[in-house]
Amino acid sequence: MSILLRIHQWFSFLGSFASFGVAYFLQSIVVLVFVALSFIALIYIFRKYMARIQRRIGPNRVGKFGLLQLIADALKLVGKESILPEGRDDMAYKIAPVIVMIATILAFVLLPFGDLAYFGSLAVTHSKVTLVLMFGILSIIPIGEILGGISTKSNYALLGTMRAVAKDISFEIPMMISVLAIVMVSSRSYVTGDAITGGLSLSGIVANEIIPYGIIEPLGLLIFFISMVARASYSPFDLGESDSELISGYTTEYSGMRFGFFYIGLFGMVYLSSFLISVLYLGGANGPYDNYVGFIYLFIKTDILVLISFLIWVAIPRIRIDKFVDLGWKYMLPLSMANLVYAGLFVLYIR
């Protein structure tokens, strides 16, 4: 049973077609509300967490413990005048932050959230190729960043865009090779060694992941984690924005809610990358007891990874662009290839 079928049962008096339509709509709304609330919580936790590490107080003036500070910030963003740069490519300039935000939120719909007691499976999309769809959607986000940087006709934004492109090319190839190794390892059963299906589905990978793949492939986990930090573009890999050098990089000429959309995309990627690492390398919704509360297992794993990401964000200084390119091409790419060979040998001889 899944939450989709539960809602379908509740509205079965409307007929099969209408009840499934209502079920898909309500389930999508539930996921979007969950994602929105998670973003708000993440930003608040990050500000408190960063303040504690830096021995500051953090938000504490608006609401109890500063809980309403984010609402005040959101109202401030909405109320700010949206200043448009002269000579811009108007359509590209306006659509770029929307692309980043929508692509980030869409990616959450593909995640296998696991089961939650009475409601059953919380997965929204039931496809055999969700892994391919996920990275297809993630590949749209850099398009928004590039459009945002180039369309403003600002040298600072253009320089930030070029750095972001160099960063993306350097880490995405090792990341995809690491994912390919996961597909190979999940293609055979642990117990019988027989070929099994579902290697291109995130739900299928979790179902086959009796032992977390992070234990089998620690090198792949390390490469993928570094790559996802780079994808999320926070320190030490915030090369595209680098607010102390490029005055916020490709977002230099954005203000008000358009800048807020980029900001949502940034924190959304922190959360999404933690979910992906949990699913691909830490067993996803699998837990020590009955998996009817698998969502809670996945949520705990993801939140721990988010806190680790925040610690890296505030503790490690920005890496130089040439050092990062060296890291990607000279070290991560050969290591990811070695990990792929190891995955092949594991499937052939060890399992």
Side-chain angles (χ1 to χ4, degrees):
M1 182 62 75
S2 67
I3 186 173
L4 180 71
L5 295 178
R6 288 285 185 199
I7 300 174
H8 165 65
Q9 285 180 346
W10 296 343
F11 292 92
S12 57
F13 62 89
L14 297 175
S16 177
F17 184 78
S19 59
F20 267 117
V22 172
Y24 270 113
F25 176 75
L26 290 180
Q27 190 181 10
S28 300
I29 293 296
V30 168
V31 171
L32 291 178
V33 169
F34 166 74
V35 171
L37 293 177
S38 298
F39 284 1
I40 294 171
L42 273 183
I43 296 171
Y44 175 78
I45 292 170
F46 173 69
R47 295 180 69 174
K48 280 289 190 184
Y49 191 64
M50 183 170 62
R52 182 61 61 90
I53 290 176
Q54 295 173 340
R55 300 178 69 84
R56 295 186 291 107
I57 296 175
N60 68 332
R61 298 304 177 107
V62 187
K64 188 73 171 176
F65 305 116
L67 285 169
L68 300 180
Q69 182 66 50
L70 293 175
I71 297 176
D73 289 344
L75 292 174
K76 184 178 71 176
L77 275 177
V78 172
K80 270 189 175 181
E81 179 185 3
S82 185
I83 301 172
L84 305 178
E86 287 186 6
R88 68 187 180 280
D89 185 332
D90 194 60
M91 179 177 287
Y93 174 83
K94 291 179 178 176
I95 204 173
V98 179
I99 290 175
V100 172
M101 187 189 70
I102 290 180
T104 305
I105 293 176
L106 271 181
F108 280 89
V109 177
L110 301 174
L111 289 170
F113 289 106
D115 295 348
L116 184 60
Y118 167 78
F119 295 103
S121 172
L122 300 179
V124 178
T125 302
H126 303 275
S127 169
K128 295 180 180 177
V129 290
T130 46
L131 186 64
V132 179
L133 289 172
M134 174 64 73
F135 287 99
I137 289 176
L138 291 182
S139 67
I140 295 174
I141 296 175
I143 295 175
E145 296 172 352
I146 293 170
L147 279 178
I150 294 178
S151 63
T152 58
K153 306 295 173 61
S154 161
N155 289 336
Y156 287 110
L158 181 62
L159 187 55
T161 302
M162 294 299 104
R163 287 171 51 142
V165 170
K167 170 180 67 70
D168 291 347
I169 295 173
S170 300
F171 75 79
E172 284 198 348
I173 296 174
M175 179 175 70
M176 297 312 298
I177 293 175
S178 301
V179 173
L180 184 58
I182 289 292
V183 174
M184 292 174 64
V185 172
S186 66
S187 65
R188 286 188 180 274
S189 167
Y190 282 103
V191 181
T192 64
D194 296 333
I196 53 179
T197 59
L200 292 178
S201 162
L202 289 170
S203 299
I205 289 173
V206 173
N208 301 334
E209 202 172 355
I210 300 173
I211 300 173
Y213 292 145
I215 296 176
I216 298 172
E217 289 195 12
L219 181 59
L221 170 60
L222 178 65
I223 293 170
F224 191 81
F225 183 83
I226 293 173
S227 299
M228 291 310 291
V229 172
R231 171 64 274 159
S233 297
Y234 59 84
S235 185
F237 303 136
D238 57 338
L239 307 172
E241 299 179 17
S242 55
D243 49 1
S244 60
E245 301 167 19
L246 296 174
I247 317 175
S248 204
Y250 57 85
T251 60
T252 300
E253 302 295 339
Y254 283 92
S255 60
M257 275 311 296
R258 290 194 176 94
F259 175 80
F261 288 162
F262 280 117
Y263 202 64
I264 290 172
L266 170 62
F267 277 90
M269 273 308 303
V270 175
Y271 205 36
L272 181 65
S273 60
S274 299
F275 263 119
L276 270 179
I277 294 168
S278 301
V279 167
L280 294 177
Y281 290 97
L282 302 181
N286 296 328
Y289 302 107
D290 196 333
N291 284 340
Y292 79 103
V293 290
F295 173 74
I296 296 176
Y297 294 139
L298 178 63
F299 196 66
I300 292 172
K301 294 171 187 175
T302 301
D303 284 352
I304 292 172
L305 286 172
V306 167
L307 292 178
I308 293 173
S309 299
F310 284 167
L311 182 61
I312 292 172
W313 190 339
V314 300
I316 300 180
R318 178 179 308 122
I319 188 172
R320 245 171 43 194
I321 181 68
D322 59 316
K323 297 289 184 184
F324 179 78
V325 173
D326 280 352
L327 176 67
W329 290 107
K330 292 183 180 177
Y331 300 101
M332 288 176 62
L333 181 58
L335 288 174
S336 63
M337 295 294 291
N339 182 63
L340 185 64
V341 172
Y342 160 74
L345 294 174
F346 180 85
V347 171
L348 286 175
Y349 299 110
I350 299 177
R351 179 176 289 185

